[in-house]
Amino acid sequence: MSIVSDTPANAVSTPPLERSEPAELTVLGACPQDCPDSCAMVVTVSDGVATSVSGSKSMPYTNGGLCVKVDNYLDKVYSPDRLLYPMKRSGPKGSGQFEQISWDEAIATIAEKFTAVSAEFGPEAIMPCNYLGTQGITQGLNVGDAFFNRLGATVAERTYCDAGSCTAYAMTVGDTAGVDPESFVHSKFILIWASNVMSTNLHLWPYIAEAKKRGAKVVVVDPVKTRTAKAASQYIPIRPGTDGALALAMMNVIIAEGLTDDAYIADHTIGYDELVERVAGYTPEWAADETGIPVDDIYTLAREYAQSQPSVIRIGVAIERSAGGGQSVRAISCLPALVGAWRRPGGGLLQLPLWAFPVNWPAFLHTELQTPGTRVVNLYQLGEALTGGLELDPPLKALMVYNSNPVVVCPDQDRMIAGLSREDLFTVVSDHFLTDTATYADIVLPATTQLEQDDINFSWGHLFVTYNNKSIEPRGESIPNSELFRRLAAAMGFTEPAFTRTDEELIAEAYDWESPAMEGITIESLKEKGWQRLNLPAPDEYAPHAEGNFKTPSGKTEFVSSAAAGGNFVLPLFRQGSNDHQPGQPVDPLPHYIAPRESTRTNPALAEKFPLNLLTPKSHAYLNSSFGNIEVHRKVQREPSLLINPVDAEARGIESGAQVRVFNERGEFVVLAKVDKSVMAGVTVCSMGYWRKNSLSLSTPASLNPTVFADLGNAPTFSDTLVEVALVEGVLA
Ligand SMILES: Nc1nc2c(c(=O)[nH]1)N[C@H]1C(S)=C(S)[C@@H](COP(=O)(O)OP(=O)(O)OC[C@H]3O[C@@H](n4cnc5c(=O)[nH]c(N)nc54)[C@H](O)[C@@H]3O)O[C@H]1N2
Ligand SMILES: Nc1nc2c(c(=O)[nH]1)N[C@H]1C(S)=C(S)[C@@H](COP(=O)(O)OP(=O)(O)OC[C@H]3O[C@@H](n4cnc5c(=O)[nH]c(N)nc54)[C@H](O)[C@@H]3O)O[C@H]1N2
Ligand SMILES: [Mo]
């Protein structure tokens, strides 16, 4: 165990403390959650028991505070409901009846079953389902990739989050980290576009607040007046999925009124003349009609954005979740170059700074173990895949879920449940708890939490590497994901070096340590300090694209995208590194508008039956579905509810607190109504993340979401969902 105190990163290192009685130790950890903030944590341990977790005071971005979710992390670690032993099913599928077995029996059962399925149907009848339950490089996204690639299993395309946005962003500016969030303090105009920063990116807020204090204007564009919108200088409500119209109209105004930075455009962009021609048709008047935003507000937004330099845009993940979500991000990504925002620290775009981290992805993706041509199935279509909707040959006969809870996070919940209920499907789930998905497993395996394992992190919200020192011994017989796959590989007879690496060896391979970004950073220094900033210019001086240097093929912001010629694509990271690039539909190389698929305006026939648009954003107190079972988090989050505008509520005789049924042709769920004008008329909101087994109707919003992809990167279309809402007759207990 590496034990160090929370000293500033540049302090002289001290030798690990000797354990003495009474034994209270301070261990430097790192938050494992799938969140842009990736906090540096401090864990106190007394006699082998963790007694507190707190945010590192020395780490600038964490700044001494955690969030409501991870402040209570010990409730999760020591929960009486933790899975502590492997179990096998002892009742009907989904009954939740299990009996304890040994690890030897569990591993042998899985190996036998995988071998038998593979022999009878071929290995593609087996499929993994995983994401970022834990985000560390060694225990997270790629921990099982070597195993499933070697097995020849169906490749899981994991476009859970930001894949469409990333395709659009990469087409425009390349895979660049973009604006350093710490340099937001220098921004004069901050446009928060589809991001509820105060709930989902809390540690960015102090930088925004500081900029505001220094005179910056902060504008939020969202269909909901969120807590973030309430704290902004201006809130602009927008119809879901119409963001592209607003961005294109902003470009129209900026160009028509000569608010462009012509020198920047000449030196660092391609395709300007074509862009000018393209956006001429996207007038503010047209956009006002499309978005529901008053035309004067569009003019003002465009002018202020262009003229208050440096201006910065924070794009939230939700923007990708409509039919034209990709093109919305394309259009937004063009804006900073048009006005020369990239010239100064604090100007440009913040999307996903993950790209700054020189993670050694090949050492974890292990595409060399993949059989070329192996079938790829997108996890958002798992319900269909399990129930014959995708016509798979061979059909799926075995599923292994780890780091994910597909029943709650994937669309099409009813078919997911039908699929998981199949008697002929062998399902393994590794998790901390008996989740809605684990309840349907044949074999359940106990996983360690972050306090019980070592790991090393990247971040997709800031520029610091964090290191997690293990602080306590695993509870029960829980094991890290890495150990699970070592055991499974051994049982399957896989002998390649990829399958015998210890956790220490995995951590040693996590980064390209020779990369200039890692200068001054070693495993030893990380273990001791807990966190270190990548070797990049200081935030006060850092303007990564002041001189262009975009990561596109041309090195410029590509108004006309050269990558579009290859058709729609999914970045390798999201398709389990599949070497099997499947180009999608051809893509218009210029940004353009694609209206939502399910809206009263584009689909009046559907809207006649289901006139309201359902949004399912993140909850405040859960992390996706993680913590959805923990009492203290449930208290903070309160009962699942549906936010509905008074106009829509009144028309349906709905009052706050009433049970309402939310439904469409795909399914239904029941929650309590919350009538409030913070949501625009025509739109309703139910946060995702609460558990199906804790719901009134044994269903959650996922049962209503479509499995159709957005235009780019196979992104989901959660925000592109029409529903109707009705009072429940009688009351469900
Ligand atoms: N508390 C908490 N924090 C989290 C998470 C969590 O579950 N809980 N999850 C983490 C993860 S995995 C992610 S990806 C991030 C995501 O964090 P965000 O990017 O903030 O994503 P969401 O909360 O889904 O949606 C943000 C806002 O977008 C709005 N929105 C929805 N559709 C549209 C639209 O079409 N246009 C516009 N303009 N706005 C729209 C919603 O009303 C919502 O207020 O948060 C991370 N942090
Ligand atoms: N309707 C709707 N659906 C959405 C979204 C939305 O906004 N609306 N957002 C989408 C987004 S952005 C994302 S990122 C996905 C998130 O989808 P997921 O990554 O599936 O997120 P979680 O629901 O938190 O599920 C993670 C599971 O992993 C488990 N876990 C945690 N640590 C470990 C570990 O070390 N080992 C193992 N074996 N298990 C572990 C947790 O207990 C939890 O059950 O959801 C997507 N789904
Ligand atoms: Mo996400």
Side-chain angles (χ1 to χ4, degrees), residues 527-546:
K527 279 186 179 173
E528 215 156 271
K529 295 167 179 170
W531 58 272
Q532 277 180 283
R533 185 175 153 92
L534 290 172
N535 176 38
L536 294 167
D540 290 346
E541 295 151 17
Y542 191 32
H545 302 299

Side-chain angles (χ1 to χ4, degrees), residues 423 599 672:
E423 276 304 326
S599 89
L672 304 183

Side-chain angles (χ1 to χ4, degrees), residues 1-4 25-29 41-43 45 469-471:
M1 191 195 292
S2 177
I3 302 150
V4 282
L25 308 169
T26 303
V27 183
L28 299 190
M41 305 198 300
V42 180
V43 185
V45 181
N469 291 289
K470 173 179 163 182
S471 48

